[in-house]
Amino acid sequence: MVLFAAMASAVFGAMAKDTTQERWLYGLKVFAEFIVIGLVLSWILYFIPW
Amino acid sequence: MVKTERLAAERTEPTPGSAWLIGIIAWFIPGSGHLLLKKWGRAAVMGGVIWACFFIGVAMGGHMFDLSTGQGSSVWLQVPPMIANLGSGALYIISWLLGIGFADDPQQAARATYEYGNTFLLIAGLLNYLTMLDAFDIAAGRHS
């Protein structure tokens, strides 16, 4: 999941925004979102019995 | 450029033919569109990620989709993931010609990394569609 998040956010970061700093920040933000949402969904699904 | 200015510019300026060519080349060989546009950093990051995603997917034993219905499902269910896989361009076509990653092998499907591999292969194709559109937009002068 971390590898997937890193790769996808690298592409999103490279495509978006105008300056290098903005791209880094956007990429890191997308990476954090992937990880946080992935973990939250995992715990929700863990408690669902079907 | 604000959205209204951009839309006005798009209405008056036709898309150059070279942009379509760059788009096709960018789809066929991931990263090549940005290389042709001399966007070295983006070519390395975006192209590198797509190639890495694809080979990681294959190494994990992922399955690529075509119109065959070997898994007993409708042909229409194969179309959406096939479109995603097709985004990998030459990587998909060469794998299809060589028969790599297309077999319905129960032993392969039983691997713990099988589904992860599928996901990496699908994402490689989808990210290449994004990369292709980015290269097209740069070639058409819609962004830098």
Side-chain angles (χ1 to χ4, degrees):
Chain A
M1 185 179 81
V2 174
L3 182 63
F4 166 80
M7 294 176 120
S9 56
V11 172
F12 289 160
M15 266 180 57
K17 310 293 179 183
D18 295 320
T19 67
T20 307
Q21 191 188 9
E22 284 176 335
R23 286 181 181 144
W24 270 103
L25 283 174
Y26 184 71
L28 287 170
K29 189 179 139 194
V30 172
F31 176 74
E33 286 170 353
F34 268 126
I35 297 294
V36 169
I37 292 169
L39 288 173
V40 169
L41 279 178
S42 307
W43 277 106
I44 290 171
L45 293 171
Y46 176 75
F47 289 110
I48 295 177
W50 32 261
Chain B
M1 197 184 288
V2 294
K3 192 177 178 185
T4 49
E5 289 172 334
R6 198 175 68 237
L7 289 173
E10 283 170 11
R11 270 197 295 272
T12 53
E13 295 169 24
T15 304
S18 61
W20 294 103
L21 187 63
I22 291 278
I24 292 167
I25 293 168
W27 164 74
F28 193 66
I29 302 172
S32 63
H34 288 89
L35 277 181
L36 290 172
L37 295 166
K38 297 185 170 61
K39 298 279 181 188
W40 311 117
R42 280 196 207 189
V45 172
M46 298 165 99
V49 161
I50 292 159
W51 283 77
C53 250
F54 184 87
F55 285 112
I56 289 169
V58 171
M60 284 180 162
H63 175 77
M64 278 179 279
F65 294 83
D66 57 10
L67 290 178
S68 65
T69 55
Q71 293 175 336
S73 57
S74 160
V75 69
W76 295 108
L77 286 176
Q78 310 279 17
V79 172
M82 191 191 92
I83 291 169
N85 281 152
L86 254 177
S88 303
L91 295 171
Y92 176 88
I93 295 167
I94 291 168
S95 300
W96 184 68
L97 290 173
L98 297 177
I100 298 168
F102 283 88
D104 282 318
D105 181 7
Q107 277 188 324
Q108 183 186 341
R111 285 177 63 173
T113 56
Y114 173 73
E115 293 291 347
Y116 294 101
N118 284 353
T119 306
F120 271 92
L121 289 170
L122 294 170
I123 292 302
L126 294 174
L127 288 177
N128 196 38
Y129 283 131
L130 279 178
T131 304
M132 175 187 79
L133 291 173
D134 189 59
F136 175 84
D137 276 350
I138 294 169
R142 291 176 191 163
H143 84 94
S144 56

